[in-house]
């Protein structure tokens, strides 16, 4: 007896290894599960027939039997040595594939991989030898559609064959459509932010974008809510532009869920066209849910490549992450609900179904358990549960397809591989950032405020650039040893910026202002006087006193400094300490800095602890004005910032008094600046009020405004 050729065996082994280990890509893009379809239809037409060497088995398999390459009711060894099976299969493949121009090598590869259902169990004849045996006594009897046994070389029933052929063609076509639509969703989700950001570099686009920003980029969709949470902690309202992106992305998913279905009857798996189309909708809901996983993880990543390729902020991507998560949960629910009329209750007891249910339930709990009504009062609980439930989602999705089709031949796992790659990349870079900074010892200085709520954390020896818009995630493992992983973002202030500005000396040795301080001093003082007439009276700021110095040593000349307002998390444990174990992950960019720095005028608006985000800006522009309001309880911050803010010639610092943002912007416009950059950092209410004021001024006035909001509302 001849054995299958080495070439066919090698081809089969390579095919199955690629499918099982690498996933093989996507159907239609590197994967053709039923190739050649005419040969697979022969296999399915005979596969449920009993052979002399087979034993009865449970034949209720549902569709998972059909899509994973068949779940045989006879053992591979039985098929390998059964003459009627091999000759009937060879004759069917020979006659049915004759009109499909199938290569002989493809038929040999199919024979080696599929005829016994196990490539490690080779048949006693290769395809050529089996066909030769069938040709000696060509079959003349057609099997009845209701036949149960195959005990002689027989002709395949044409109706049975057609129903299986239609099923394979239709299902493979549907999967090709799903793959194409999945790629479209990925390209849209990943590419749209890049395209919109890069449009600003195209000729003649800057003027158009400047006209659009006051209507799309700056205003909130719901009143003046943006950083501030909506009533009842329902979440953060998106801007009009963010809402448009979310709406269009939802619409794209909805359209792709509704288009491109095609029925092929008779169908071996679904007796009616309505059930067939329902099954395809069920398939597509699950597949497009898988497609969203890489985007879902990417948008939440700290090391999101889109943060480097676009001018969108991290808070924007986190908002998109939440909306994509809701879309994923909807797809998972739709996939589950549509499966019930097709497979309940027969499949519900199987492991693959149970794992799919676990993933769906975890996704729904994640969505409802990630609202502000959970994050605000119990952030640490939210953080731990978010990670645990996310693991359940990924593991559940993996075992859902792995137990459904062990050989992973349909490419669904490709989307999981992509999501895991994004997650691994982000986590690896996080670890590398921490390792690069190394283990540090920080000095904690209590500044004062109500119940000592303001502290300064100095980390010596780090030389990070003074670029504005940066933040760092700080870990204090010893503060709460039972949650050493807890970390929070803080604005980065290079300690050198906290030192009083240097003075040069004239020929007599007396101090005199530097060139930067002297340039335009008269003009700046005139603007200060004019603006002061229009704005409400400010509470005089106090000078630095020996009492503030006595709270601790001054900031180091080389290093980083974090100013922290204690909250309910790990920061509430911060106390005066000379050597606190500290790990730093960063620096990360909070927002784009190019547009504001290119403006004729840079207006910095801060509230409370938000001043720490603004300090690095004061040395980066030649024409800066600072407006800062703090509560009386935060006067210690004013004392602390007197040195670094002495570099700013124009400043309005108010203790216990509010700023009038509309009047402030109106005064800036009257000076005739063509472009005004506005950077705001502080409490949510202040940030939202500035956003609303800039939106109104940009729509009504001639000046062009560039707004950047730096608020940790994540």
């Amino acid at each position: 007896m001849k054995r299958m050729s080495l070439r066919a065996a090698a081809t089969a082994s390579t095919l199955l290894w690629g499918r099982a280990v690498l996933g093989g890509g996507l159907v239609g893009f590197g994967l053709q599960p039923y190739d050649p379809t005419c040969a697979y239809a022969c296999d399915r037409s005979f596969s449920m027939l009993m052979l002399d060497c087979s034993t009865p088995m449970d034949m209720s398999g549902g569709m998972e039997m059909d899509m994973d390459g068949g779940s045989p009711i006879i053992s591979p060894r039985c098929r390998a040595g059964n003459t009627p099976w091999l000759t009937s299969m060879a004759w069917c493949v020979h006659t049915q594939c004759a009109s499909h121009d199938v290569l002989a090598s493809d038929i040999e590869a199919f024979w080696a991989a599929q005829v016994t259902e196990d490539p490690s169990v080779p048949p006693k004849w290769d395809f050529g030898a089996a066909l030769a045996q069938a040709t000696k006594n060509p079959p003349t009897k057609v099997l009845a559609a209701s036949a149960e046994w195959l005990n002689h070389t027989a002709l395949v029933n044409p109706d049975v064959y057609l129903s299986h052929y239609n099923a394979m063609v239709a299902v493979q076509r549907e999967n090709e459509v799903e793959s194409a639509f999945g790629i479209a969703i990925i390209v849209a989700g990943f590419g749209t932010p890049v395209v919109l950001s890069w449009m600003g570099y195209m000729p003649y686009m800057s003027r158009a974008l400047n006209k659009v920003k006051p209507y799309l980029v700056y205003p909130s969709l719901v009143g003046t809510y943006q950083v501030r949470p909506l009533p009842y902690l329902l979440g953060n309202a998106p801007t009009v532009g963010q809402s448009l992106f979310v709406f269009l992305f939802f619409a794209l998913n909805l359209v792709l869920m509704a288009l491109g279905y095609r029925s092929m009857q008779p169908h071996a798996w679904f007796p009616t066209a309505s059930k067939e189309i329902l099954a395809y909708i069920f398939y597509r809901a699950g597949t497009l849910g898988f497609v969203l996983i890489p985007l879902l993880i990417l948008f939440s990543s700290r090391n999101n490549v889109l943060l480097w390729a676009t001018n969108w902020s991290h808070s924007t991507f986190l908002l998109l992450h939440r909306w994509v998560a809701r879309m994923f949960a909807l797809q998972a629910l739709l996939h589950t609900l549509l499966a019930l009329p097709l497979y309940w209750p027969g499949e519900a007891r199987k492991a693959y179904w149970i794992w799919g249910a676990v993933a769906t339930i975890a996704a729904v709990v994640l969505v409802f358990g990630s609202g502000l009504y959970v994050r605000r009062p119990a952030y640490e609980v939210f953080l731990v549960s978010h990670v645990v439930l996310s693991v359940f989602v990924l593991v559940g999705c993996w075992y859902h397809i792995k137990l459904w089709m062990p050989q992973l031949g349909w490419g669904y796992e490709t989307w999981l591989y992509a999501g895991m790659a994004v997650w691994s990349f982000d986590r690896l870079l996080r670890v590398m950032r921490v390792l690069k900074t190394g283990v540090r010892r920080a000095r904690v200085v209590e500044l004062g405020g109500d119940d000592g709520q303001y502290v300064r954390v100095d980390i010596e020896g780090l030389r990070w650039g003074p670029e504005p818009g940066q933040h760092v995630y700080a870990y204090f493992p010893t503060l709460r040893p039972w949650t050493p992983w807890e970390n929070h973002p803080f604005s980065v202030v290079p300690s050198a910026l906290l030192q009083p500005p240097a003075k040069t000396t004239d020929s007599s040795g007396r101090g005199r202002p530097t060139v930067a301080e002297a340039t335009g001093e008269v003009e700046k003082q005139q603007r200060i006087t004019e603006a002061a007439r229009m704005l409400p009276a400010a509470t005089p700021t106090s000078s630095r006193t020996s009492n503030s110095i006595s709270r601790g040593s001054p900031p180091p000349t080389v290093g980083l400094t974090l100013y922290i307002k204690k909250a309910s998390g790990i920061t509430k444990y911060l106390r005066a300490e000379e050597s606190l174990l500290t790990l730093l992950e960063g620096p990360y960019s909070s927002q784009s800095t190019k547009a504001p720095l290119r403006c004729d005028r840079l207006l910095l608006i801060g509230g409370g602890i938000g001043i720490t985000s603004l300090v690095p800006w004061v040395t980066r522009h030649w024409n800066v004005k600072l407006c800062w309001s703090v509560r009386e309880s935060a006067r210690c911050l004013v004392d602390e910032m007197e040195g670094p803010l002495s570099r700013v010639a124009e400043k309005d610092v108010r203790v216990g008094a509010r700023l009038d943002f509309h009047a402030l912007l109106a005064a800036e416009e009257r000076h005739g600046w063509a472009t005004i950059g506005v950077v705001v950092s502080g409490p949510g209410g202040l940030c939202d009020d500035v956003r609303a004021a800039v939106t109104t001024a940009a729509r009504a006035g001639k000046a062009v405004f560039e707004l950047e909001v730096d608020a940790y509302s994540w």
Side-chain angles (χ1 to χ4, degrees), residues 140-202:
T140 58
K141 186 177 180 180
V142 177
L143 283 174
S146 59
E148 297 181 358
W149 287 87
L150 181 62
N151 50 22
H152 64 280
T153 303
L155 294 174
V156 67
N157 184 285
D159 294 333
V160 173
Y161 176 87
L162 179 61
S163 67
H164 283 289
Y165 183 85
N166 285 347
M168 293 180 179
V169 170
V171 169
Q172 184 162 298
R173 177 196 170 276
E174 169 59 27
N175 276 265
E176 291 174 356
V177 172
E178 292 169 5
S179 297
F181 286 176
I183 293 172
I185 290 173
I186 288 290
V187 170
F190 187 91
T192 301
V194 176
V195 171
L196 292 178
S197 297
W198 291 4
M199 282 176 63
Y201 297 99
M202 297 176 62

Side-chain angles (χ1 to χ4, degrees), residues 95 104 133 235 269 402 442 466 516 540 596 607 621:
T95 56
Q133 290 293 325
W269 307 343
K402 178 63 176 176
H621 198 278

Side-chain angles (χ1 to χ4, degrees), residues 71-94:
S71 179
I73 63 170
I74 51 179
S75 69
R77 292 194 177 278
C78 175
R79 287 187 174 187
N82 188 269
T83 297
W85 167 261
L86 296 176
T87 54
S88 298
M89 274 289 297
W91 188 261
C92 179
V93 171
H94 171 67

